[in-house]
C-alpha cells in the first residue's frame, strides 16, 4: 500500500547526454556549458552540477538568478557561473560571496553592475539579434565606449527558432550576431543553446549552453545526437472500481460512461505538476515484461488524483501493478507535453517543482 | 534594479475568509475545517495553519499526505489532522509520531490501517457518491461488519459539480450520501468543500472542508460570501525596447510586429508557474494611483521571462513602474485562470510551487 508519487532521476543519463553532445561538437575548443537554472529544470541543481563538475569536468554553468548561482557554487568550487537574468538588488551579495559572473541584459543593468562592482569578474553581455527578448539592441551597443566594450568577457545571444532548423530567422540571427560581435573582438562568443547546437558548426562558437538535452528533452525531433530520457515518473493506484453506463467520472461530471468498464484512481494530480490540460488526450501506462499498456485519462485531473480507464488492461497486469507510469524512456516528457498541449520543457519544470514525490537519484 | 519576481501572501485575508465563511454557516455546530494540502495550495501550510489555529481557533485540518500532516502538527499541537489520501507505507510513521487521522479511501487501505494501527485515532471513511474518484463504493460498504462500521469517526464524501449550483448531480449525490450515512449512525459527517458549502444548509453537515475560498478563489462566481484575494504577484521589468513593423517577438517568431511600438521584458516565466497557455490571452498590469493599465502578452512565455506590449501604457507610468502586476485584488488567480484556459486552483498551485520568488507574509 503506497500513496505518494515517485520521481526517479537518473544522473548517469544526464552525464551521458552531456558527454554525447560534447563529442558531437564541431570544434574541440568549444566549451560545453550546463544550464542548471530553476533547480536544473526541477531535477536538482546541486545534484546535476556536482555530477557534471566531478565526472565530466564541466567548468561552466548558467543559472537564471544570483541565489541559484550560490547553490551551484557549493558543488562547483572552481567553475565559471553565469547569471542569465543579470544582477539585481535582491541577490547582489551572492555575486560578491560566490564570485558569480553576471550576464548584463540591459543598459540599466550595466550601470547597476558598474556602480556595485561586487567582484572582479568580467561580465558577459547579452545582445539582441532577433528574439526581441533580453539584451542590448544594436542602437544601445553603439553608445558604448571602447573601454566599456572591452570590459565584457563574453558576448551572448539567443535564438528564437532553433527548434525549427529550416526557419529563416536562424540564419538571419547568425548574420546579425556575426556582425555585432565585431564590436567585441576580445570577448568569447556564445549563441547556441541545445537546439542551436544542432544547427551545426557556424552556430557553436566558443561556448554552447546545454540545457534541454541534458534533461532528456529533444526540442528538434529526430536530431542527432538524441538526448536520452532521464526521469521515471510513477504513481500508486489507490483504488480500482467498476463503472456502469450512465455514471459520471470526475469534476464537472464531464465524462459519462457509455459501457461497463473499470477505472483506476491514481495518486498524482495537478498539485504534482500534472497539468489539467493533460486531460483528455493524456494516458498513463501499465508496464509488464517490457510491454507498455496505455490507460487513457477519464475525467478531469484533480489536485491530488487522476482517474484513468483501465477497462482494456488485462486482469493479471491490473492485479499485480501497484504503480502506473507517467513518464519513462518510451513515453517521455516531450510526449507528455504533446498530449498536454505544451512542450517538454514546461512539463519537466512543473513536475520538477512537485514537493510530494519520493525522489530518488541514480 | 530588481530581477526576482515577488509573491506577497496576505495571511490576514486568509483569516478574514475563514471567519466570513464561518459566520455564514447554517448551524453554529458545524465545524469549519481548513484544507492545507500541497503546502496550502502553495501558499505555506505552516503559516496558514498557524494563523488559523492561533487566531481563529480552527482545530480541524485536512492534508493530502501523511508528511504534510506532520508539518501542520508542528504549528497545530491539539488539532485533528485528517489525511485525505489515506495511509501508505511511505508516511505511516507520521501517523504514529503526530497522531494523524487517516481518511480511508479503499478497502485495501482499510486492511493496511487495521494491520498497522499506528495510533488510536478513529479513522474517517471516504464514501463514493457520484464523483467516481476515491472512496468505498456502496457494494464495498455492504461488506463491512457492524464492528468495522463503528470504528469510523467520520464519514466523508466529495461533490463533482458543486461549482455549478444548478447541476442535478448535486442533489443526487446528497441523496446518496444521506442514504449511505445511515450505515454509520455514530460517525460525524462531511460532504462539502468550499463550493459545496455554498449549496446551502443541507450540504453542510458536521464538518465543512474549506480550501479554495480560504485562498481567494471563488469557484462559484457571484456567490455570497465572496472570498477575498490573498496574493499579490509582481515581477520586475528588466528592459523596455522599441519594436518596428516586421520584427518578430519571442520563441517560434510567432508574433510579427504590425506597427511601431514598445515591449517590456518581465522577469517571470513558466519556471515560476506562469503557464505557457497564458499566451496569447494573458496580460500584465501597470498600477498607478489606484488605476490599472493592461499590457497584453506578446510572444510566447519563456522559462524565466515574458514579453508584453506596452505601446498603450502612458510614458510617465512606464518610466516610474519598476514592477508589473500579474495577480492582485482586481485581477485574481481566477481571472488569470480564465485567460490561461484553466482554473484558479491550478494557477495558485503552479505559482505556489515557484522557488524563485521573494516571498513575504503579512
Amino acid at each position: 500500500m503506497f500513496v505518494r508519487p515517485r520521481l526517479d532521476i537518473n544522473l548517469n543519463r544526464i552525464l551521458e547526454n552531456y558527454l554525447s553532445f560534447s563529442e558531437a561538437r564541431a570544434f574541440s575548443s568549444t566549451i560545453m556549458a550546463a544550464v542548471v537554472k530553476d533547480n536544473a529544470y526541477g531535477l536538482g541543481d546541486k545534484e546535476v552540477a556536482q555530477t557534471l563538475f566531478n565526472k565530466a569536468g564541466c567548468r561552466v554553468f548558467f543559472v537564471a538568478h544570483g541565489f541559484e548561482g550560490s547553490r551551484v557554487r557549493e558543488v562547483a568550487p572552481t567553475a565559471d557561473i553565469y547569471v542569465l537574468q543579470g544582477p539585481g538588488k535582491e541577490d547582489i551579495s551572492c555575486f560578491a560571496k560566490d564570485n558569480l559572473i553576471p550576464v548584463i541584459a540591459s543598459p540599466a543593468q550595466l550601470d547597476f553592475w558598474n556602480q556595485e562592482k561586487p567582484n572582479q569578474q568580467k561580465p558577459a553581455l547579452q545582445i539582441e539579434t532577433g528574439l526581441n527578448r533580453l539584451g542590448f539592441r544594436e542602437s544601445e551597443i553603439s553608445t558604448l565606449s571602447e573601454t566599456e566594450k572591452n570590459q565584457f568577457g563574453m558576448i551572448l545571444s539567443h535564438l528564437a527558432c532553433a527548434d525549427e532548423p529550416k526557419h529563416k530567422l536562424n540564419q538571419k540571427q547568425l548574420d546579425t550576431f556575426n556582425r555585432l560581435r565585431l564590436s567585441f573582438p576580445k570577448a568569447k562568443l556564445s549563441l547556441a543553446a541545445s537546439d542551436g547546437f544542432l544547427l551545426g558548426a557556424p552556430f557553436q562558437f566558443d561556448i554552447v549552453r546545454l540545457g534541454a538535452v541534458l534533461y532528456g528533452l529533444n526540442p528538434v525531433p529526430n536530431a542527432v545526437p538524441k538526448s536520452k530520457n532521464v526521469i521515471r515518473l510513477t504513481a500508486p493506484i489507490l483504488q480500482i472500481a467498476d463503472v456502469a453506463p450512465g455514471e459520471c467520472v470526475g469534476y464537472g461530471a464531464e465524462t459519462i460512461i457509455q459501457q461497463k468498464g473499470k477505472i483506476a484512481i491514481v495518486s498524482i494530480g495537478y498539485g504534482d505538476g500534472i497539468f489539467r490540460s493533460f486531460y483528455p488526450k493524456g494516458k498513463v501506462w501499465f508496464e509488464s515484461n517490457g510491454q507498455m499498456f496505455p490507460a487513457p485519462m477519464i475525467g478531469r485531473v484533480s489536485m491530488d488524483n487522476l482517474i484513468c480507464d483501465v477497462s482494456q488492461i488485462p486482469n493479471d497486469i491490473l492485479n499485480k501493478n501497484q504503480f502506473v507510469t507517467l513518464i519513462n524512456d518510451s513515453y517521455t516528457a516531450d510526449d507528455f507535453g504533446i498530449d498536454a498541449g505544451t512542450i517538454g520543457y514546461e512539463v519537466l519544470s512543473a513536475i520538477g517543482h512537485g514537493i510530494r514525490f519520493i525522489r530518488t537519484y541514480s
Side-chain angles (χ1 to χ4, degrees), chain A:
Chain A
M1 178 51 57
F2 297 96
V3 292
R4 285 173 66 184
R6 286 164 192 249
L7 181 61
D8 303 321
I9 298 160
N10 191 330
L11 294 170
N12 284 325
R13 284 278 180 86
I14 294 175
L15 176 63
E16 278 180 52
N17 286 334
Y18 178 84
L19 294 174
S20 73
F21 277 78
S22 294
E23 279 165 25
R25 68 201 196 273
F27 314 102
S28 61
S29 60
T30 298
I31 291 168
M32 304 299 272
V35 181
V36 293
K37 63 189 185 179
D38 196 25
N39 197 30
Y41 293 32
L43 301 186
D45 48 9
K46 288 200 223 176
E47 290 83 354
V48 171
Q50 186 164 43
T51 300
L52 298 179
F53 184 86
N54 289 344
K55 298 189 176 170
C58 178
R59 289 293 178 272
V60 183
F61 294 91
F62 283 84
V63 295
H65 290 284
F67 82 99
E68 298 177 336
S70 290
R71 292 176 51 85
V72 174
R73 177 60 80 210
E74 292 177 39
V75 297
T78 60
D80 287 345
I81 303 174
Y82 290 89
V83 178
L84 287 161
Q85 298 292 94
K89 278 187 191 164
E90 308 94 330
D91 293 350
I92 193 72
S93 62
C94 300
F95 286 84
K97 179 168 72 70
D98 294 308
N99 210 24
L100 310 176
I101 308 173
V103 177
I104 300 296
S106 69
Q109 272 195 340
L110 182 58
D111 291 344
F112 178 72
W113 178 259
N114 284 334
Q115 247 167 46
E116 297 281 335
K117 235 2 189 154
N119 65 37
Q120 294 308 309
Q121 294 278 11
K122 287 189 132 193
L125 178 70
Q126 176 136 211
I127 62 174
E128 199 355 79
T129 56
L131 173 62
N132 254 321
R133 209 174 58 179
L134 286 178
F136 272 53
R137 271 61 186 171
E138 185 160 6
S139 59
E140 292 163 334
I141 294 172
S142 66
T143 67
L144 294 172
S145 69
E146 285 309 303
T147 317
E148 283 173 320
K149 284 178 187 166
N150 285 331
Q151 78 181 290
F152 297 110
M154 189 202 294
I155 302 302
L156 175 159
S157 192
H158 196 59
L159 299 167
C161 302
D163 58 342
E164 301 171 58
K166 292 182 178 161
H167 201 293
K168 63 181 180 192
L169 189 57
N170 293 319
Q171 186 62 45
K172 202 173 158 193
Q173 284 198 261
L174 178 61
D175 294 343
T176 304
F177 188 72
N178 274 324
R179 184 164 49 78
L180 296 178
R181 75 183 172 89
L182 298 178
S183 294
F184 309 92
K186 295 180 187 161
K188 289 196 177 120
L189 303 170
S190 177
L191 176 60
S194 295
D195 43 8
F197 174 84
L198 295 164
L199 294 176
F203 290 83
Q204 295 180 7
F205 294 101
D206 299 312
I207 297 183
V208 170
R209 309 182 304 269
L210 288 186
V213 295
L214 294 180
Y215 307 116
L217 303 175
N218 284 289
V220 185
N222 306 316
V224 177
K226 193 171 157 59
S227 168
K228 289 182 184 169
N229 169 57
V230 306
I231 64 170
R232 187 174 158 73
L233 178 65
T234 56
I237 299 165
L238 291 189
Q239 194 170 9
I240 291 168
D242 295 320
V243 286
E247 289 183 27
C248 322
V249 180
Y251 281 124
E254 203 172 287
T255 307
I256 313 283
I257 299 294
Q258 301 300 325
Q259 57 187 38
K260 226 180 121 175
K262 266 185 201 160
I263 60 173
I265 294 94
V266 177
S267 189
I268 191 169
Y270 64 78
D272 309 295
I274 306 302
F275 294 124
R276 289 179 74 246
S277 64
F278 195 49
Y279 170 81
K281 286 196 187 152
K283 66 277 278 183
V284 303
W285 303 86
F286 287 77
E287 297 185 59
S288 179
N289 298 323
Q291 272 194 289
M292 303 256 294
F293 300 83
M297 301 284 294
I298 181 170
R300 295 183 194 158
V301 178
S302 318
M303 189 179 281
D304 312 310
N305 292 290
L306 58 79
I307 312 170
C308 56
D309 181 352
V310 296
S311 306
Q312 302 305 317
I313 307 297
N315 263 331
D316 56 326
I317 292 171
L318 202 53
N319 292 335
K320 87 174 175 220
N321 281 47
Q322 292 191 56
F323 283 79
V324 294
T325 300
L326 286 106
I327 293 177
N328 69 0
D329 294 350
S330 306
Y331 184 78
T332 65
D334 286 327
D335 298 323
F336 189 114
I338 290 168
D339 281 340
T342 184
I343 54 175
Y345 295 72
E346 191 179 21
V347 171
L348 264 196
S349 172
I351 289 167
H353 283 149
I355 56 177
R356 311 194 291 190
F357 298 112
I358 304 285
R359 271 180 200 240
T360 67
Y361 285 95
S362 61

